[in-house]
Amino acid sequence: MSFPTHRPRRLRRTEALRGLVRETRLTAASMIYPMFVCPGSKVRQEVSSMPGVFQQSPDQIAEECREVATLGVPGIMLFGLPESKDPRGTSSISAQGVVQRAIDAIRKANLDLIVITDVCLCEYTDHGHCGVIDHGDVANDATLPILAEQALSHARAGADIVAPSDMMDGRVAAIREKLDEHNFANIAILSYAAKYCSGFYGPFREAADSAPQFGDRRSYQMDPGNAREALKEVALDLEEGADMVIVKPALAYLDVIRRVRDAFDVPVAAYNVSGEYSMVKAAARNGWLDERRVATEILTAIQRAGADITLTYFAKDVARWLAP
Ligand code: PBG
């Protein structure tokens, strides 16, 4: 039974037919928009390697959040650029910290928006690593209490979800315990469970001013060659109490997204990271690629691979492109 009985082209004849049988539908409702908050007020500075993405003070963040909500993007992920850095990332746990103040400004704006915070030390430490340093090494266990305090201070400020991205072992359990102790049992944990050591984070380190000042992150982020290990990382984080998990980056790890999706029945998020965004922007600026077409294709692929949620700097654009 084949040609001429079967002609797959019959269902590709018109856009109405193609739309009817489309298996994966890109939606803004499943996207999260990452944002960068810096000190001050009225500050809005474009990140040179990420056109359209800004470092902004809390007042400006709240304004852009209004736009995000109006477009139908359900949530944001907040990253902080603190006033000061030290070896232990102390500024990350201050009630007056940049992220905490941004959450406050967003809450005061009374927006219908899910506020997720990135929980990590790299933006707050003077050495730029995601944990504290002990004898030249990133110390796992000594970092956990600081991460838990940071998550607690985000919850106190009004975050809905905390998202640890440091890749220390045991941090999900430490954060869950801390939140529960302080009556934040309803705050969810979105864990960056399978986070690879990736060159695609390059532009982010400019955006968040978080490049490591020595060495690299290979001793805590995952090796790009490993997929089975991603399943182990996800299993451990779920056992520790994660509600949802992230695979990151997305585009070079579509197989990992699929395997995680197939193996676990929790919401799976994929992070379409800074380098994935900047590549498309740069090529489009050169006239080499059609930005809208390529971004749509990439984000469709991420959803087709199994992501329920996509964190992407294209979130606002997609909402505009998909608007009726
Ligand atoms: C670490 C963190 C990073 C990203 C999100 N959280 C950078 C890193 O691990 O070096 C990358 C996000 C992106 O590239 O868009 N706090």
Side-chain angles (χ1 to χ4, degrees), residues 7 17-18 64 98 110 116 152 158 176 211 220 260 283 301 320:
R7 289 180 183 271
L17 280 168
R18 290 190 291 272
E64 195 181 357
V98 276
N110 205 12
I116 310 174
L152 175 61
R176 185 71 273 160
Y220 43 106
V260 171
R320 281 194 205 98

Side-chain angles (χ1 to χ4, degrees), residues 34 36 50 79 118-123 130 165-166 192 195-196 198 200-205 210 212 217 221 248 271-275 313:
F36 300 92
M50 300 178 72
F79 294 95
D118 185 86
V119 172
C120 194
L121 293 194
C122 67
E123 298 120 83
C130 303
S165 68
D166 51 282
Y192 289 77
K195 176 172 176 182
Y196 287 88
S198 170
F200 286 101
Y201 306 148
F204 174 94
R205 293 183 185 169
S210 65
R217 304 206 200 288
Q221 298 182 344
K248 174 183 176 194
Y271 200 139
N272 176 227
V273 301
S274 56
Y313 304 97

